[in-house]
Amino acid sequence: MASDNDDINYERLIEDYRPRLRERVVVDRVLDHIQFIETAQKEQIRQKARTDGNMVATDLLISAVLKKPHAHGWFRAFVDALLHAGCESAAEYMQVNPPEPEVEADNDYCVKLIQLLSPSLVDMKTDVVSLHCSSKCLLTKDDVEIIKTATTTQGNRSGARELLSCIVRGRPGWFSVFLEVLRETEHQHLYELTGGSPDSNKKGSGEKLPSVKDEPMESEAPAAAEGGDSLQLMDISYAEEGEADLYEGAPTESSQVPKSSKPSQPDSVAAAGVPEKADIVLRDYQMDVARPALEGKNIIICLPTGSGKTRVAVYITKKHLDHRRTGGRSGKVVVLVNKVPLVEQHYSAEFLPFLKHTYKVERVSGDCQLKISFTEIVKKNDVIICTAQILENFLERSNKGDDEGVNLSDLSLIVIDECHHTQKGEVYNHIMMRYLTQKLKNTRLKKEQKEPMPLPQILGLTASPGVGGATKMKAAEDHILRICANLDAYKIMTTDLGQYQREPRKLIQTIEDRREDPFGDVIKNIMNDIHAHAELSPTSDLGSQNYEQWVVQKERIAATEENQKVRVCSEHLRQYSEGLNLSNTIRMRDSFSFLNKYHEEEIKRKTTPDEENDIKITDTERFLFNLFKENKEELQRLAEKPEYENDSLSKLRSKILHEFSSREAARGIIFTKTRRSAIALSQWIQENPKFADIGVKASHVIGGGDQSVVKPMTNTEQRDVLNKFRNGEVNVLIATTVAEEGLDIAACNFVIRYGLVTNEIAMIQAQGRGRAEDSSYTLVEVKNSGVAEKECVNEYRINMMNKAITKIRALNQADYDKRIYEFQFQAIMEEKVRMSKKKQKRMQDEKYEVKFSCRSCPTHVCTGDDIQIIENMHRVNVTPEFSQLFTKRENPSLQERLLDYETNYYIACKNCGQRWGSMMLYRGIDCPCLHVKNFVVTFNGKKISKCTKWSELPIKFPVFDYAEQASRVAESLDDEDDDAE
């Protein structure tokens, strides 16, 4: 605990550097990360920033930080807030070694020079310069957002002013990097104006000022690295020093480089903090599978998780680019992944360290601002790592004749990670269908003695192509051959890993059913009372998967038939079924907490905060609320009886205790089915003193999608947990399937699948997480999950898959090519039929009639004519008539601040309280955003019972007319002012 003397020293430090903080702190961002300042005071400071400017608000912020009595850890929290807000230069003054006076003086000179030259600098190409500054970490993600908004709404010069005000807040060394950006972006006159040498054409030269001391290049790279947070999407888990991991490939000279060594140039590599690596050296088995690709052939590499597929891909990429450069041709490689975190992982851990010395490597994903100019990135870099959807979007733009598009002919090699996803409906397949269609056209062009369009080489990577649910060998072969055909693969390459093969010890833990289950019996009695009330007769065991499917179907049918009694009963039955499953998977208290929270939310939904609206409570709803109320105390009492807990938890407890008591340094992953169970299991471990006694430190990682009612994890939160797992702060990771595929997670010595079995691909991926020597793989059964039987089926499928791959590899090339061609031709014809049907449907749907009514009551909400779409994503209804039908409520779990809009409220039916969607503040305009799953949809006179996504409706809504709506809002405000006068 900090002493009073420490606090006095901290206060003096902050006061001494108040002038520096005033110049470098961005108040709004720092406030987001400070918890010890009260909300009301935060709003006061934000208001001061809006009215009097950032510097005045910073003074107010500092005064609030210094206010006594101090909270525990206040100074560290303030420094952390500065770091998390991207104000590293300000945080540096709070650290042990602030900048030297001469460095400060030089930096002040650079700031003044920028201010002096700003009338000329504001004529820069702001978007281009912003992009490059972001890539070199001169700008944070928030900076880029602000600059883009200013440029879009107020013009290029306003955006340039924002850019200049942002970069001067950076750490010392920013100026030379900014000069480099001006030179690279062909602002030669500005580059020379700010002190660059007119004779210099080389990177890093000409960065001298007449009166400013030159800083060593070594200090510039870290300055760029720490000047922003826009590039740090996800830290990568490296194998610990001295540990032999298959994924690392053969040892390289880089392993002997001290951690303190720094790159000699302030490039993007230094900015990303990526260690240098020597030439790639492949193991024999890796070279065996790579050979056909080195000859320019399309192949699929099928190797187990952790065996170095990505390292092989880097090697092939380098040789491909080297070969083309030697032949006087330019090469262009795109590496496609299917998950955002994999972009940063492949970039930082593999492609950049090995290729940075000779080739330009960049990455683009939904989390990266660089995607705003993807076409330029493709032009200016040799290797681009991106999510597949981004490439598909720009291929489609090119197909429509857009100048900002990308053609397949622009690329010379496409690497497709997790290529088993190249199947119908997947984005990989959309890209490859373009490839196959052009390949067919090229055949015709050659016959007509015309020039064919160049096509890139294809390299697919997978740990398991699977069998696609096949039960017979022929079907399994066809499934794998179809993937080969979709990827136009010359061969599927696999090999025996020999001495590097790792097979974890496998164990299946079966469970005993409870002798007594009074908690579950109470839930079942409640469910039976509901069945009787709604006159429903279930056809399967309560809590089973079949029962849940039956209930969901009943709810959908009842919604379309406007049978509110059955609909609301079905919804409650679904929750009780989930409660039963939870009591069989995690603690009864977690199950009770879930049911109690659901009923509290339902009751809250039937009350209005302003009490102006009288929300109707039907007799059925009153019956359901009372039913839970009558049984609540009994459920709560039984939930605290440990003797009635499920046997699955006992088996899991024993397994974890065994792993940690029998190993020196245990580290493991527990895979579970749902986000809720992952969070609950993490809490269960953390609250159990027996686990703490043997050094178990648990945390959870779940997905980032927002389809679940459980709050998703952001990429930053995922990254933080994985970093802690890598460095040992966490040694048990409880994860949903988000951690199964692709992510390079630090080596584990035990993997447990807790009541979770999906398909054979996921099983191989999960087993592959156990990369350490003598690792174990355990399946713990959970009641009603059927996982033991499914695991046996998956083992059978894996054997079938391996045999099918062996048979395919044994085919002579002519027979293989013939079968591949047949599948390709079939795929092309199916695509043509699909597109033809889509075109016909689009023509038919030009005359459509769609109506939306509340899912919980008969209220007619709107028609399709009332809906507009924002950013090709959000369906909104801004008509005055619609605004009279809903009430707006604060949504504490949804505080998502994005570039142009905020969603802090949800909207609900005034009549029954059913949620309809969220309230967006889009560029200053309130826009009610509808979620289609909350409505009964009538399409061309027919009610649709199942519609959970807008994409399921074949309707093209008009684009939101911002100008028209803004004009309406302005008129209404004028009217209000007139009335007030």
Side-chain angles (χ1 to χ4, degrees):
M1 183 177 293
S3 66
D4 291 341
N5 285 337
D6 286 338
D7 283 345
I8 292 169
N9 290 334
Y10 293 150
E11 291 164 6
R12 186 178 298 130
L13 180 67
I14 292 174
E15 283 293 354
D16 287 345
Y17 287 111
R18 183 187 280 259
R20 293 296 182 185
L21 295 176
R22 201 183 290 129
E23 296 168 356
R24 289 164 171 78
V25 167
V26 184
V27 168
D28 270 330
R29 297 184 208 166
V30 174
L31 285 173
D32 288 339
H33 298 280
I34 288 185
Q35 306 305 322
F36 59 83
I37 297 178
E38 294 179 359
T39 304
Q41 194 169 14
K42 283 186 181 181
E43 284 306 313
Q44 184 183 357
I45 297 170
R46 291 187 198 275
Q47 183 61 34
K48 180 65 73 173
R50 287 191 287 268
T51 56
D52 298 342
N54 186 76
M55 293 181 71
V56 176
T58 301
D59 266 330
L60 199 58
L61 169 65
I62 292 172
S63 299
V65 170
L66 294 175
K67 184 180 178 182
K68 296 181 180 180
H70 293 305
H72 174 65
W74 66 278
F75 180 77
R76 185 67 253 173
F78 176 53
V79 176
D80 287 344
L82 294 174
L83 291 169
H84 290 145
C87 302
E88 288 93 346
S89 60
E92 233 178 31
Y93 286 94
M94 303 292 100
Q95 306 296 327
V96 179
N97 297 311
E100 295 294 330
E102 56 267 28
V103 174
E104 283 191 304
D106 285 350
N107 189 70
D108 290 345
Y109 183 94
C110 294
V111 173
K112 289 177 182 176
L113 184 61
I114 291 294
Q115 292 169 348
L116 182 67
L117 298 175
S118 61
S120 299
L121 291 172
V122 293
D123 290 324
M124 70 176 79
K125 299 173 185 174
T126 305
D127 285 340
V128 177
V129 175
S130 173
L131 173 69
H132 279 68
C133 286
S134 174
S135 70
K136 294 181 183 296
C137 287
L138 287 184
L139 298 175
T140 68
K141 191 173 182 179
D142 287 332
D143 292 334
V144 174
E145 305 276 3
I146 292 167
I147 293 163
K148 181 182 176 184
T149 303
T151 305
T152 304
T153 57
Q154 302 171 45
N156 184 76
R157 282 174 159 250
S158 293
R161 291 188 190 98
E162 286 289 351
L163 186 150
L164 294 174
S165 69
C166 290
I167 64 168
V168 297
R169 288 195 296 261
R171 286 185 172 183
W174 59 267
F175 184 81
S176 56
V177 183
F178 180 59
L179 275 182
E180 181 66 13
V181 168
L182 290 179
R183 190 188 61 77
E184 288 179 350
T185 54
E186 301 175 351
H187 290 79
Q188 196 66 24
H189 63 294
L190 298 179
Y191 169 69
E192 294 171 13
L193 183 68
T194 48
S197 168
D199 301 322
S200 172
N201 289 318
K202 292 183 180 180
K203 183 175 181 179
S205 61
E207 298 178 345
K208 297 186 180 293
L209 293 173
S211 328
V212 182
K213 283 186 181 180
D214 291 332
E215 292 180 357
M217 291 300 238
E218 289 183 351
S219 69
E220 291 168 6
E226 296 164 11
D229 59 5
S230 63
L231 300 182
Q232 298 174 12
L233 304 181
M234 184 168 187
D235 290 345
I236 306 305
S237 299
Y238 295 101
E240 301 208 349
E241 200 170 340
E243 178 180 324
D245 190 340
L246 294 184
Y247 191 80
E248 291 296 324
T252 65
E253 295 174 24
S254 63
S255 61
Q256 307 303 319
V257 178
K259 290 183 179 180
S260 61
S261 63
K262 298 173 183 176
S264 60
Q265 295 184 1
D267 56 10
S268 61
V269 179
V274 176
E276 295 186 19
K277 296 206 176 182
D279 288 340
I280 310 164
V281 180
L282 297 186
R283 290 193 167 107
D284 290 342
Y285 74 84
Q286 293 172 323
M287 184 59 75
D288 286 343
V289 297
R291 282 197 177 92
L294 298 174
E295 298 167 4
K297 295 183 173 69
N298 296 352
I299 63 168
I300 296 172
I301 293 178
C302 180
L303 289 176
T305 299
S307 58
K309 293 184 295 298
T310 311
R311 182 62 51 81
V312 177
V314 177
Y315 183 85
I316 292 169
T317 296
K318 186 176 187 305
K319 294 301 180 184
H320 169 85
L321 292 171
D322 290 347
H323 178 70
R324 291 185 70 90
R325 180 177 283 182
T326 302
R329 297 174 296 165
S330 63
K332 194 74 65 178
V333 181
V334 169
V335 182
L336 301 180
V337 299
N338 63 332
K339 292 179 181 178
V340 170
L342 292 177
V343 173
E344 187 69 15
Q345 176 175 296
H346 286 342
Y347 173 80
S348 300
E350 292 293 333
F351 284 88
L352 189 62
F354 287 107
L355 302 180
K356 64 183 180 179
H357 299 294
T358 43
Y359 298 105
K360 293 182 179 179
V361 186
E362 193 51 88
R363 76 314 209 175
V364 189
S365 73
D367 267 9
C368 180
Q369 295 306 314
L370 296 176
K371 71 173 183 175
I372 57 177
S373 185
F374 182 71
T375 307
E376 282 300 307
I377 291 168
V378 171
K379 288 178 183 176
K380 295 188 176 182
N381 291 279
D382 303 299
V383 182
I384 303 94
I385 304 160
C386 65
T387 46
Q389 190 60 57
I390 289 176
L391 178 62
E392 168 63 12
N393 291 345
F394 281 82
L395 289 172
E396 180 60 25
R397 287 190 186 187
S398 178
N399 188 48
K400 292 179 178 178
D402 194 326
D403 290 339
E404 278 292 302
V406 172
N407 294 308
L408 284 174
S409 57
D410 298 332
L411 313 176
S412 60
L413 171 64
I414 299 179
V415 180
I416 302 181
D417 191 38
E418 309 296 347
C419 69
H420 51 269
H421 290 296
T422 314
Q423 301 184 56
K424 286 182 183 179
E426 302 273 3
V427 65
Y428 284 164
N429 203 48
H430 295 325
I431 294 169
M432 287 309 302
M433 285 310 303
R434 297 179 188 277
Y435 178 101
L436 295 178
T437 303
Q438 186 59 50
K439 180 185 175 184
L440 191 65
K441 288 180 182 176
N442 283 352
T443 304
R444 188 178 68 248
L445 291 171
K446 287 176 183 177
K447 288 180 181 178
E448 297 170 358
Q449 296 185 338
K450 295 179 180 178
E451 189 68 25
M453 188 182 90
L455 285 173
Q457 181 183 350
I458 305 295
L459 173 63
L461 308 175
T462 183
S464 165
V467 296
T471 56
K472 295 182 180 178
M473 183 61 70
K474 176 65 167 60
E477 286 181 46
D478 286 350
H479 169 79
I480 297 169
L481 281 168
R482 192 170 284 110
I483 292 175
C484 292
N486 290 343
L487 290 160
D488 195 35
Y490 161 77
K491 275 185 179 177
I492 180 169
M493 301 299 297
T494 188
T495 187
D496 183 6
L497 270 58
Q499 62 175 315
Y500 302 109
Q501 186 76 41
R502 287 179 184 166
E503 286 291 338
R505 292 176 287 106
K506 186 168 182 177
L507 176 68
I508 296 179
Q509 292 270 22
T510 57
I511 60 166
E512 296 180 8
D513 206 354
R514 290 180 172 104
R515 293 181 181 177
E516 291 182 88
D517 184 16
F519 181 85
D521 290 340
V522 172
I523 293 178
K524 289 176 181 177
N525 290 335
I526 294 173
M527 294 171 77
N528 286 325
D529 287 345
I530 298 174
H531 293 149
H533 179 83
E535 300 178 0
L536 293 171
S537 300
T539 56
S540 50
D541 293 338
L542 305 188
S544 66
Q545 189 173 348
N546 289 336
Y547 177 84
E548 186 170 340
Q549 291 171 351
W550 173 81
V551 167
V552 169
Q553 187 65 20
K554 287 293 181 185
E555 191 276 336
R556 286 174 180 162
I557 294 171
T560 57
E561 294 177 350
E562 297 185 6
N563 185 340
Q564 298 306 326
K565 181 178 182 180
V566 172
R567 194 206 66 78
V568 71
C569 283
S570 298
E571 183 57 44
H572 279 250
L573 286 170
R574 187 178 180 184
Q575 304 306 316
Y576 282 115
S577 181
E578 175 69 5
L580 272 180
N581 284 324
L582 290 174
S583 73
N584 289 327
T585 307
I586 49 184
R587 295 173 297 184
M588 292 182 293
R589 70 165 68 169
D590 298 314
S591 173
F592 171 76
S593 175
F594 160 72
L595 291 172
N596 189 49
K597 184 177 180 182
Y598 170 74
H599 280 86
E600 286 177 350
E601 288 293 324
E602 285 297 292
I603 292 169
K604 185 179 178 182
R605 190 164 63 85
K606 292 295 178 180
T607 59
T608 54
D610 53 15
E611 297 183 356
E612 290 181 4
N613 302 309
D614 183 20
I615 295 180
K616 296 177 182 176
I617 299 179
T618 65
D619 291 340
T620 295
E621 287 170 334
R622 192 169 287 106
F623 161 77
L624 293 168
F625 293 153
N626 288 334
L627 189 59
F628 180 75
K629 186 178 180 181
E630 291 164 4
N631 291 276
K632 179 178 176 179
E633 287 187 11
E634 180 67 3
L635 284 171
Q636 191 168 14
R637 184 184 67 82
L638 292 170
E640 300 301 327
K641 300 280 188 181
E643 62 267 29
Y644 299 134
E645 287 289 9
N646 63 73
D647 191 40
S648 298
L649 271 181
S650 300
K651 291 290 194 296
L652 181 61
R653 182 190 298 111
S654 299
K655 181 61 183 172
I656 296 171
L657 292 173
H658 171 75
E659 291 291 344
F660 276 85
S661 58
S662 61
R663 297 179 187 271
E664 286 187 14
R667 178 183 291 177
I669 303 180
I670 301 170
F671 289 106
T672 186
K673 188 174 181 179
T674 66
R675 294 176 178 182
R676 187 174 284 111
S677 61
I679 296 168
L681 286 172
S682 178
Q683 291 172 344
W684 168 66
I685 293 174
Q686 291 167 9
E687 294 170 8
N688 193 319
K690 288 186 178 179
F691 289 134
D693 291 343
I694 58 172
V696 180
K697 295 167 288 187
S699 188
H700 66 272
V701 60
I702 59 177
D706 61 357
Q707 295 301 313
S708 169
V709 293
V710 178
K711 183 182 177 183
M713 256 186 164
T714 64
N715 284 329
T716 301
E717 290 169 331
Q718 289 178 352
R719 178 200 65 196
D720 290 345
V721 173
L722 292 175
N723 279 343
K724 289 178 180 178
F725 188 60
R726 173 175 61 85
N727 63 33
E729 288 182 61
V730 169
N731 52 25
V732 173
L733 192 65
I734 299 95
T736 53
T737 54
V738 68
E740 275 183 342
E741 187 175 278
L743 293 182
D744 179 25
I745 297 173
C748 300
N749 41 36
F750 72 90
V751 174
I752 301 172
R753 281 170 76 84
Y754 185 69
L756 172 67
V757 171
T758 47
N759 58 27
E760 70 280 5
I761 296 174
M763 178 177 168
I764 290 173
Q765 297 278 4
Q767 287 181 350
R769 297 292 138 221
R771 295 182 181 176
E773 293 291 345
D774 192 33
S775 60
S776 66
Y777 171 84
T778 305
L779 177 70
V780 178
E781 195 175 19
V782 168
K783 186 178 179 181
N784 291 331
S785 65
V787 293
E789 295 82 359
K790 291 175 184 176
E791 189 80 354
C792 292
V793 171
N794 283 340
E795 287 178 349
Y796 170 76
R797 287 175 174 171
I798 290 172
N799 289 332
M800 184 190 293
M801 179 192 76
N802 291 332
K803 290 177 182 177
I805 292 174
T806 302
K807 289 185 72 173
I808 290 169
R809 285 179 52 76
L811 290 171
N812 67 60
Q813 197 63 41
D815 289 342
Y816 173 86
D817 290 344
K818 182 175 182 294
R819 294 184 70 176
I820 288 296
Y821 176 78
E822 288 171 354
F823 280 122
Q824 287 180 343
F825 192 77
Q826 178 185 340
I828 291 170
M829 294 308 297
E830 287 176 353
E831 180 70 5
K832 285 184 176 180
V833 170
R834 187 183 70 82
M835 293 304 294
S836 176
K837 287 183 177 179
K838 186 177 180 181
K839 187 176 180 180
Q840 290 175 7
K841 194 170 187 64
R842 197 159 50 235
M843 292 172 63
Q844 293 171 3
D845 292 340
E846 288 176 0
K847 296 180 181 179
Y848 66 81
E849 182 181 315
V850 62
K851 297 178 182 177
F852 300 90
S853 56
C854 179
R855 198 167 186 88
S856 293
C857 69
T859 300
H860 170 72
V861 176
C862 63
T863 69
D865 296 332
D866 302 322
I867 295 177
Q868 296 176 316
I869 189 166
I870 294 176
E871 295 181 1
N872 202 31
M873 185 188 311
H874 309 285
R875 278 76 175 178
V876 300
N877 185 344
V878 291
T879 61
E881 297 80 10
F882 179 66
S883 65
Q884 302 302 312
L885 301 178
F886 67 82
T887 182
K888 187 171 77 170
R889 298 187 178 186
E890 189 171 346
N891 186 359
S893 67
L894 185 60
Q895 299 288 333
E896 185 180 11
R897 298 185 179 274
L898 301 173
L899 176 60
D900 290 323
Y901 54 85
E902 299 175 5
T903 52
N904 295 337
Y905 297 88
Y906 69 82
I907 59 174
C909 177
K910 277 187 177 179
N911 185 48
C912 68
Q914 167 71 43
R915 284 195 186 189
W916 285 352
S918 55
M919 178 61 78
M920 293 172 52
L921 181 62
Y922 178 69
R923 299 184 184 177
I925 299 177
D926 280 335
C927 297
C929 180
L930 310 185
H931 300 174
V932 70
K933 64 183 180 182
N934 297 322
F935 301 95
V936 174
V937 182
T938 305
F939 185 75
N940 287 341
K942 183 180 178 182
K943 289 185 178 178
I944 302 175
S945 62
K946 180 185 177 183
C947 192
T948 58
K949 298 178 183 178
W950 283 107
S951 58
E952 295 170 2
L953 275 179
I955 300 170
K956 187 174 182 180
F957 295 107
V959 175
F960 177 70
D961 191 331
Y962 177 79
E964 180 184 349
Q965 187 61 25
S967 176
R968 288 181 187 173
V969 172
E971 287 177 8
S972 65
L973 291 175
D974 289 342
D975 292 342
E976 288 177 10
D977 291 341
D978 292 341
D979 293 341
E981 291 174 5

